[in-house]
Amino acid sequence: MGLFLLLSMATAVFLYRTEGWTLMTFGTISLVLMAVAGFVDTLTARVVLEPESIVIVRNLIRREYARMAFVKASWSKGESAALLTRDGEWVKLPDVAAGGPSMANALRAWMAK
C-alpha cells in the first residue's frame, strides 16, 4: 500500500508539472487520496483478544463483541478469518498477523476458554 501511495504521488506531481491542472491530474490526485486512506487503514487495522471480548478495528471503525456471542471460527483459502455469531451472522476479521489458519486457531482457543 505504501508503494502504491508513493507511485501515485509521484505520478500526480509529474502530471501537474508537465501538463498543469487537467482531468488526468485530478484523477491521479483522487488516487493519492484513496491511497492515503488505504495506508492509514493498513496501519490501524487490528484484532485484540481480551479475556471476555474481542475488539476489531477496521476502516478506522472500532467494534467490540462479547466472547460468548460467537460459536465458530473459520477461514477459507484467500480469505481472512471469520467468526460466526449465535445469530448466524459472519463477522469477517481484517487481515492481520500470520494469516487465516493461525488466526482461526487462535480464535478457537480463545473461544474455548
Side-chain angles (χ1 to χ4, degrees), residues 2-75:
L3 181 61
F4 178 69
L5 174 60
L6 291 174
L7 287 174
S8 58
M9 286 174 61
T11 304
V13 169
F14 174 76
L15 286 174
Y16 174 72
R17 287 183 174 220
T18 58
E19 299 178 18
W21 295 108
T22 63
L23 281 177
M24 186 68 86
T25 306
F26 285 117
T28 308
I29 290 172
S30 67
L31 281 177
V32 170
L33 296 176
M34 286 186 276
V36 167
F39 187 70
V40 169
D41 179 52
T42 301
L43 293 178
T44 59
R46 67 183 179 274
V47 176
V48 179
L49 297 175
E50 296 178 352
E52 293 302 318
S53 64
I54 184 172
V55 178
I56 301 168
V57 179
R58 182 191 322 174
N59 297 330
L60 302 176
I61 297 172
R62 181 184 189 273
R63 298 201 176 166
E64 187 169 353
Y65 300 93
R67 179 170 56 117
M68 302 317 281
F70 300 105
V71 294
K72 180 181 175 185
S74 181
W75 70 278

